[in-house]
């Protein structure tokens, strides 16, 4: 009897329909296993777990069902091909998610040529052997056909049955969306994390929705009009924060250094390994009496990571929910960025980066932002030993950047982007003099070693500034751009934080990054003020004595008594001094206690959520619609991209002319002689 049952099952799989359902079943099973083992989707409760099980089914029926419209062997091999292409999509997301805790978007894929051109350097570190499990079902199916355990059914398959399956898939999709929306209202209309879309609807549906969003966004610009600015101006007028008289204009006319601490998180400050400080020099700078340090400062980036941080830092505009604004819009939109604002007030503006100029589309975006100079990798002498991971080692980069800094007419605005403390945290033995952590996570453990190296490089650069007098005549801003250790490393994070386990609240707090402002004579101290990268520009402008009453900036001055302490994350979550919201869960920020909000708390949280959602939406409108082309603040002139070129020969010629016209550089004040003999580094590659 058992043999007869097996025979019937085998006979069914020997039919076209039976083989199709076998392919669908295997595909859905593997997808569910991958959901549970490779992604952190946070499915809670019976409904969410149920949707996680069923959400691969509609798309599998629809895409694999295409093969049923074809005859004979072609139908079978089309099923294999479609399954293989689907599996590549899943595999790519597994790899991307491991590093970025997010899913691939059209924006990221379109910008892959100039954004991810260095990803190959770390792919072997990212890919795990078990990732190839995604192709196991295809191998099994091929073997079943090759060894004729299952035979190809050459009989015609009725088209009405194929149409029926396609129709069923669409009905199931609608039903699935109804269930998802009942559990999470406004799933596709509000600003949600991509994890929500995948958890409720599936990877394919996420891809389709993302493609639709991308198309919709591209059409937004052509339909935008000047009146679209009205609601934005009204919102900003009602939410501006007046400057603090104690600090406004105190650093007027000084040079500005923006030092970008790559992947540097707040927990590293004062952190010790084997009794040794990871970053002793940054710790001292953080606690200096003339440094304003903020210990509740958060990164607010999404898929754009570093590019999102730069967008917020220099424009006070949020990054986008998908992709990178710098990549997609940097070369075509109108901006009112810090370099342009300061250029029009007599500053020389320059950016320094030890990698190719096209990374994150900087060579195009920086022109839109008004950078006069961009000293990328083409400006530095290089040897293989000078580079690691994503570009020049920080000690060599800082030293080589100093050669151009000494030539910049003062006052200047200079941004230096470090690179060594970037995943996968590679550093050769001759530069490694600090112990790794012992969490057992190979990705996490070397993180403190590259952070220690960055700290040493910063100390060498700071000493040079002191010797040349720049230290006394400059505002030095340091900030961490985004996390270095993603949420996918929870066990290791728990060990780093000396906790047995961690929850969503801990991970939200783990998103803190350092933010420091130092200047000679500045009244410093460690501030508990809550804020994020969106608040940097208005804070800096007020210190320099520049009013921003009519600018388009969504952040507010961290030093203002009216500063808005609601920190919005790109997925719609938030942190305030009172509440931390992660997904549908709310915590008390001070204690980390999870709460079930009472009526009063619900109202407060709803008001904060409305503010966050509105602000993110309005910022997106500015970028998607290129709305700043319709609005020019009084005293500001639109940037003409044609005024700038970053080619080496022309750039050096422009710098020479600028020195002749404005002999205020450090080199000029040194009677035209280089000050590089004052720069001391222990970089072994230079000996």
């Amino acid at each position: 009897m058992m043999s007869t049952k097996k025979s019937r099952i085998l006979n069914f799989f020997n039919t076209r329909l039976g083989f199709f359902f076998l392919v669908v079943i295997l595909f859905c099973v593997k997808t569910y296993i991958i959901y549970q083992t490779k992604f952190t989707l946070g499915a809670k409760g019976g409904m969410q777990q149920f949707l996680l099980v069923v959400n691969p089914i509609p798309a599998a029926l629809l895409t694999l069902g295409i093969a049923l419209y074809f005859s004979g062997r072609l139908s079978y091999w089309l099923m294999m091909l479609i399954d293989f292409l689907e599996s590549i999509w899943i595999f790519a997301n597994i790899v991307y998610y491991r590093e970025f805790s997010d899913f691939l978007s059209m924006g990221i894929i379109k910008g892959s040529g100039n954004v991810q051109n260095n990803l190959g350097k770390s792919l072997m570190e990212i890919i795990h052997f078990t990732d190839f499990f995604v192709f196991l079902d295809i191998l099994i199916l091929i073997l079943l056909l090759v060894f004729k355990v299952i035979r190809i059914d050459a009989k015609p398959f009725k088209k009405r049955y194929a149409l029926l399956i396609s129709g069923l898939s669409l009905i199931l999709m609608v039903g699935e969306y109804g269930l998802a929306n009942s559990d999470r209202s406004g799933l596709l209309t509000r600003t949600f994390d991509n994890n929500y879309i995948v958890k409720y609807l599936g990877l394919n549906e996420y891809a389709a929705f993302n493609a639709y969003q991308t198309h919709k966004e591209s059409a937004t610009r052509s339909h935008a009009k000047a009146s679209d600015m009205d609601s934005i101006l009204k919102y900003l007028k009602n939410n501006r924060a007046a400057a603090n008289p104690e600090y406004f204009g105190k650093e007027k006319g000084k040079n500005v250094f923006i030092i970008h601490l790559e992947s540097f998180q707040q927990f590293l400050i004062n952190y010790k390994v084997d009794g040794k400080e990871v970053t002793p020099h940054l710790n001292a700078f953080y606690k200096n009496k003339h440094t304003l340090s903020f210990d509740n400062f958060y990164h607010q980036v999404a898929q754009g990571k570093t590019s999102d941080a730069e967008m917020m830092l220099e424009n006070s505009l949020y990054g986008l929910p998908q992709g990178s604004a710098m990549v997609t819009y940097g070369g075509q939109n109108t901006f009112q960025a810090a370099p342009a604002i300061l250029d029009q007030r007599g500053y020389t503006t320059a950016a320094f980066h030890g990698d190719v100029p096209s990374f994150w589309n900087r060579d195009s975006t920086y022109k839109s932002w008004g950078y006069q100079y961009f000293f990328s990798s083409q400006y530095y002498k290089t040897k293989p030993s000078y580079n690691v991971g994503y570009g020049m080692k920080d000690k060599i980069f800082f030293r080589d950047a100093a050669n151009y800094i000494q030539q910049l007419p003062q006052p200047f605005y200079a941004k230096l982007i470090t690179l060594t403390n970037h995943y996968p945290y590679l550093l050769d033995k001759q530069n490694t003099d600090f112990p790794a952590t012992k969490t057992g996570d190979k990705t996490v453990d070397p993180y403190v070693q590259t952070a220690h190296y960055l700290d040493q490089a910063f100390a060498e650069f700071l000493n040079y500034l002191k010797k040349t007098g720049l230290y006394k005549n400059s505002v030095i801003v340091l900030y961490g751009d985004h996390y270095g250790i993603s949420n996918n490393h929870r066990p290791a994070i728990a060990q780093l934080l000396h906790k047995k386990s961690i929850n969503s609240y801990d991970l939200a707090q783990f998103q803190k990054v350092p933010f420091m402002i130092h200047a000679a004579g500045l009244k410093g101290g460690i501030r508990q003020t809550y804020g994020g990268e969106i608040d940097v520009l208005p804070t800096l402008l007020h210190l320099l004595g520049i009013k921003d009453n009519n600018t388009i900036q969504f952040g507010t001055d961290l030093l203002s008594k009216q500063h808005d302490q609601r920190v919005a994350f790109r997925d719609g979550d938030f942190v305030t001094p009172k509440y931390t919201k992660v997904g549908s869960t709310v915590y008390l920020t001070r204690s980390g206690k999870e709460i079930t909000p009472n009526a009063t708390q619900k109202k407060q949280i709803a008001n904060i959520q409305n503010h966050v959602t509105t602000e993110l939406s309005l910022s997106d409108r500015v970028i998607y619609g290129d709305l700043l082309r319709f609005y020019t603040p009084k005293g500001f002139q639109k940037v003409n991209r044609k005024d700038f070129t970053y080619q080496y020969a022309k750039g050096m010629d422009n710098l020479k002319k600028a020195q002749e016209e404005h002999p205020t550089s450090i080199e000029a004040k040194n009677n035209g002689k280089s000050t590089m003999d004052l720069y001391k580094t222990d970089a072994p590659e230079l000996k």
Side-chain angles (χ1 to χ4, degrees):
M1 191 172 193
M2 185 66 71
S3 177
T4 304
K5 187 175 181 180
K6 286 182 179 179
S7 178
R8 287 177 180 174
I9 293 173
L10 187 59
N11 287 337
F12 175 69
F13 288 139
N14 277 319
T15 66
R16 182 97 52 89
L17 184 62
F19 184 77
F20 169 74
F21 280 118
L22 178 61
V23 177
V24 170
I25 290 168
L26 290 177
F27 180 83
C28 292
V29 169
K30 82 172 178 187
T31 303
Y32 177 74
I33 292 172
I34 287 164
Y35 281 166
Q36 295 286 26
T37 60
K38 299 296 183 179
F39 305 132
T40 308
L41 300 178
K44 297 179 180 179
M47 177 61 76
Q48 291 184 19
Q49 287 294 344
F50 173 73
L51 288 171
L52 207 61
V53 171
V54 303
N55 79 32
I57 297 174
L61 290 173
L62 183 64
T63 57
L64 292 167
I66 294 171
L68 296 177
Y69 291 90
F70 296 85
S71 303
R73 291 178 179 273
L74 179 59
S75 178
Y76 282 75
W77 295 115
L78 275 176
M79 286 186 217
M80 298 294 97
L81 177 61
I82 294 169
D83 194 345
F84 179 70
L85 294 175
E86 290 273 16
S87 299
I88 289 176
W89 168 242
I90 296 172
F91 182 86
N93 274 284
I94 290 171
V95 175
Y96 186 81
Y97 192 92
R98 182 168 293 125
E99 166 64 357
F100 299 107
S101 298
D102 205 345
F103 297 95
L104 285 166
S105 69
M106 290 301 295
I108 288 296
I109 293 170
K110 286 197 306 184
S112 61
N114 54 26
V115 177
Q116 303 298 335
N117 54 0
N118 283 326
L119 188 58
K121 298 175 182 178
S122 54
L123 266 180
M124 295 311 296
E125 294 285 337
I126 299 174
I127 296 174
H128 294 177
F129 177 76
T130 55
D131 298 341
F132 293 96
F133 165 81
V134 74
F135 301 105
L136 181 60
D137 64 320
I138 302 171
L139 178 61
I140 291 171
L141 291 166
I142 291 174
L143 290 174
L144 288 174
L145 290 173
V146 168
F147 289 100
K148 297 183 179 179
V149 177
I150 291 178
R151 297 180 181 276
I152 292 176
D153 180 10
K155 291 183 293 186
F157 189 79
K158 294 181 179 180
K159 292 292 189 293
R160 66 173 178 268
Y161 292 154
L163 286 168
L164 186 63
I165 289 172
S166 297
L168 176 63
S169 70
L170 296 175
I171 292 170
L172 290 175
M173 281 185 184
V174 173
E176 178 193 4
Y177 175 71
L179 289 174
N181 206 50
S182 67
D183 192 67
R184 171 62 67 183
S185 61
L187 181 63
L188 300 182
T189 56
R190 294 167 59 194
T191 305
F192 280 114
D193 189 344
N194 292 330
N195 279 289
Y196 282 92
I197 309 295
V198 174
K199 175 173 67 176
Y200 282 105
L201 301 181
L203 260 176
N204 280 323
E205 287 83 347
Y206 157 74
F209 177 65
N210 181 256
Y212 165 74
Q213 280 186 311
T214 303
H215 171 73
K216 183 179 177 182
E217 291 158 8
S218 65
T220 300
R221 189 181 194 278
S222 61
H223 294 105
K225 51 189 182 299
S227 59
D228 292 339
M229 282 296 302
D230 293 346
S231 59
I232 294 163
L233 290 168
K234 181 179 179 180
Y235 173 84
L236 293 177
K237 182 179 179 181
N238 292 333
N239 288 277
R240 290 197 189 279
N244 186 333
E246 185 180 358
Y247 287 98
F248 184 80
K250 295 300 181 184
E251 309 306 326
K252 185 176 183 178
K254 285 189 176 182
N255 302 313
V256 178
F257 283 101
I258 304 291
I259 300 180
H260 171 115
L261 304 175
E262 174 62 44
S263 304
F264 197 98
Q265 294 179 241
Q266 175 70 17
F267 86 90
L268 287 169
I269 299 295
N270 297 322
Y271 194 79
K272 293 182 179 181
V273 177
D274 295 345
K276 299 178 181 178
E277 289 182 300
V278 177
T279 57
H281 303 101
L282 286 166
N283 295 347
F285 192 82
Y286 183 81
K287 293 179 281 191
N288 187 287
K289 66 179 182 179
H290 297 304
T291 300
L292 280 164
S293 299
F294 296 84
D295 62 0
N296 288 309
F297 185 88
Y298 296 79
H299 81 76
Q300 298 167 284
V301 309
Q303 287 186 332
K305 297 299 182 290
T306 294
S307 67
D308 284 354
E310 290 190 67
M311 179 63 71
M312 286 183 279
L313 191 85
E314 301 195 275
N315 294 273
S316 200
L317 296 173
Y318 288 96
L320 299 177
Q322 294 90 28
S324 163
M326 280 178 60
V327 172
T328 309
Y329 299 96
Q332 67 182 49
N333 275 21
T334 300
F335 293 96
Q336 296 157 11
I341 293 170
L342 294 175
D343 175 13
Q344 294 175 26
R345 286 168 171 79
Y347 274 72
T348 306
T349 59
F352 299 80
H353 179 50
D355 200 0
V356 294
S358 62
F359 202 73
W360 286 124
N361 198 34
R362 287 189 176 97
D363 54 345
S364 183
T365 300
Y366 283 176
K367 292 177 183 178
S368 299
W369 291 1
Y371 268 115
Q372 297 168 3
Y373 305 98
F374 178 26
F375 299 100
S376 62
S377 57
Q378 62 182 311
Y379 282 83
Y380 310 116
K381 293 180 181 179
T382 185
K383 295 179 181 179
S385 62
Y386 288 7
N387 296 309
V388 64
Y390 282 68
M392 291 180 69
K393 295 174 182 175
D394 292 341
K395 289 184 180 181
I396 301 172
F397 166 67
F398 272 126
R399 188 211 59 165
D400 286 2
N403 179 45
Y404 297 109
I405 288 170
Q406 68 169 343
Q407 300 176 57
L408 296 177
Q410 300 183 80
F412 57 72
Y413 173 88
K415 178 172 68 174
L416 295 93
I417 302 173
T418 64
L419 284 170
T420 308
N421 195 48
H422 192 295
Y423 179 85
Y425 314 118
L426 302 172
L427 201 58
D428 45 37
K429 289 184 179 179
Q430 64 179 345
N431 281 294
T432 306
D433 62 354
F434 195 82
T437 53
K438 299 178 179 64
T439 68
D441 188 319
K442 293 181 180 179
T443 297
V444 172
D445 287 338
Y447 178 59
V448 293
Q449 295 177 315
T450 51
H452 183 71
Y453 176 87
L454 168 58
D455 180 73
Q456 293 175 323
F458 167 70
E460 292 175 352
F461 182 68
L462 205 62
N463 286 334
Y464 170 77
L465 297 185
K466 291 177 179 178
K467 290 177 181 179
T468 57
L470 286 170
Y471 183 78
K472 291 183 179 179
N473 194 37
S474 301
V475 178
I476 304 172
V477 178
L478 275 67
Y479 83 106
D481 61 339
H482 55 74
Y483 63 79
I485 302 171
S486 75
N487 291 348
N488 293 318
H489 302 276
R490 293 190 181 209
I493 294 172
Q495 291 186 58
L496 291 175
L497 299 180
H498 308 297
K499 294 187 175 185
K500 291 182 179 180
S501 62
I502 55 174
N503 59 16
S504 296
Y505 167 82
D506 297 314
L507 292 175
Q509 299 307 311
F510 198 58
Q511 304 313 307
K512 291 181 182 180
V513 293
F515 180 58
M516 313 173 215
I517 305 173
H518 175 92
L522 182 67
K523 182 181 178 182
I526 298 174
R527 301 294 184 95
Q528 280 72 53
T529 306
Y530 283 74
E533 290 158 334
I534 200 74
D535 301 312
V536 172
L537 181 59
T539 305
L540 179 60
L541 291 181
H542 283 178
L543 279 169
L544 296 176
I546 299 172
K547 295 181 179 180
D548 60 353
N549 296 338
N550 57 355
T551 57
I552 306 302
Q553 296 172 10
F554 286 91
T556 56
D557 183 353
L558 289 162
L559 300 172
S560 171
K561 295 178 181 179
Q562 299 171 0
H563 167 65
D564 176 8
Q565 294 198 68
R566 292 170 287 197
V567 183
F569 296 121
R570 186 61 261 192
D571 58 10
D573 291 340
F574 58 79
V575 172
T576 73
K578 191 171 184 178
Y579 302 114
T580 294
K581 177 181 169 291
V582 183
S584 58
T585 307
V586 179
Y587 303 88
L588 295 177
T589 299
R590 301 295 186 189
S591 65
K593 179 184 177 182
E594 182 179 341
I595 63 170
T596 300
N598 58 34
T600 301
Q601 291 171 327
K602 281 183 178 180
K603 186 175 181 180
Q604 292 172 341
I605 292 165
N607 287 337
I608 298 169
Q609 185 67 74
N610 181 62
H611 172 90
V612 167
T613 303
T614 300
E615 186 160 292
L616 291 170
S617 175
L618 292 176
S619 177
D620 289 347
R621 284 191 212 172
V622 171
I623 295 176
Y624 290 144
D626 188 18
L627 297 185
L628 295 184
R629 61 187 156 138
F630 300 122
Y631 177 78
T632 304
K634 186 178 180 181
F636 182 83
Q637 296 179 357
K638 286 186 178 180
V639 173
N640 185 354
R641 290 169 47 83
K642 294 180 180 179
D643 291 341
F644 310 109
T645 178
Y646 301 140
Q647 294 300 316
Y648 176 78
K650 187 64 175 176
M652 292 306 299
D653 185 51
N654 289 342
L655 184 57
K656 183 179 179 180
K657 289 179 181 177
Q659 287 181 290
E660 292 172 352
E661 294 173 3
H662 306 284
T664 58
S665 67
I666 289 297
E667 190 176 64
K669 292 181 179 294
N670 195 38
N671 298 317
K673 297 178 181 179
S674 172
T675 62
M676 291 308 294
D677 59 317
L678 299 176
Y679 202 106
K680 304 301 179 184
T681 176
D682 65 3
E685 300 84 356
L686 301 176
K687 294 179 180 178

